[in-house]
Amino acid sequence: MLGNGPVETGDSAGAPKLELGLALSGGGIRAAVFHLGLLRRLAEQGMMERVAQLSTVSGGSLIVAAIISRSGMRWPTSSGYLETVYPALRHLLTSCDLFSLSALGIGGLIRQNIRLLNRRAGILVDLLAQQWKISGSLRDLPEVPTWWINTTCLETGKNWRFSKREMGDWQFGRIMNRPSPWHRQ
């Protein structure tokens, strides 16, 4: 548990720095808001640089995609998160609606008409790119932290994982380093 003071990591005589692995859960926009605050607390403690592994699903994946996209396809430093990323995403999350018909507006409803019935995921992808500025591909992700994006495979019903270096599951196997966009299906 993070207290109010700095985190102790060992003596100053060359003890290895504590590395962090974060599991950011799903829960849609509420999870994204929670994780934004959690990461703010880590940044206040100067610990963003210690994040070595990320495992995300749903809302956790959305907010990490937004963070990395807003940081020039890098994991932000603690100061960068506090000064730039957090304020921008906080404003975005409190002023932008992605998950209702009002997010499209009347022009979007007319343009998207039939897609609303059978391609809602594609509309969400477009809105994330336009309004949240999420862009890039798996290959563009930073080396550190290693980010595991977890989903469910429609074929097997099992966990399907994406990362910069590979994607797959334990039944299907792994596909190495494909040039697939992370924000498109």
Side-chain angles (χ1 to χ4, degrees):
M1 179 167 220
L2 296 175
N4 290 329
V7 176
E8 297 296 324
T9 60
D11 64 36
S12 58
K17 286 190 175 181
L18 174 70
E19 287 188 340
L20 298 175
L22 302 177
L24 303 182
S25 67
I29 201 70
R30 283 181 291 264
V33 170
F34 177 84
H35 300 318
L36 193 66
L38 168 81
L39 293 170
R40 178 178 164 204
R41 181 66 174 143
L42 287 177
E44 288 169 348
Q45 295 292 308
M47 296 179 69
M48 292 292 279
E49 295 80 1
R50 296 184 184 174
V51 176
Q53 298 281 328
L54 287 165
S55 180
T56 64
V57 64
S58 188
S61 299
L62 286 174
I63 203 65
V64 170
I67 289 167
I68 289 175
S69 289
R70 294 272 172 155
S71 301
M73 299 309 289
R74 295 183 310 270
W75 185 247
T77 62
S78 294
S79 62
Y81 182 83
L82 291 171
E83 295 166 12
T84 306
V85 176
Y86 176 79
L89 292 178
R90 181 174 183 236
H91 174 74
L92 182 73
L93 291 174
T94 58
S95 64
C96 179
D97 176 17
L98 285 181
F99 301 103
S100 71
L101 291 178
S102 66
L104 289 173
I106 191 70
L109 287 173
I110 293 167
R111 275 191 316 279
Q112 302 294 348
N113 58 43
I114 196 70
R115 283 182 78 199
L116 288 170
L117 298 175
N118 62 0
R119 304 262 186 211
R120 287 187 305 266
I123 293 171
L124 179 59
V125 165
D126 293 343
L127 288 171
L128 286 168
Q130 292 165 8
Q131 295 183 16
W132 283 31
K133 310 296 185 226
I134 293 177
S135 61
S137 70
L138 289 170
R139 282 190 175 171
D140 298 330
L141 293 175
E143 292 294 328
V144 176
T146 301
W147 180 20
W148 294 101
I149 306 163
N150 297 282
T151 64
T152 301
C153 176
L154 292 174
E155 294 294 320
T156 65
K158 304 293 182 201
N159 184 33
W160 186 268
R161 301 178 96 190
F162 294 87
S163 73
K164 180 175 182 156
R165 291 182 291 277
E166 63 186 71
M167 66 178 128
D169 73 5
W170 66 272
Q171 250 180 341
F172 179 83
R174 304 252 186 256
I175 299 170
M176 304 306 284
N177 203 9
R178 300 286 301 223
S180 303
W182 65 332
H183 66 286
R184 291 238 178 247
Q185 299 259 9

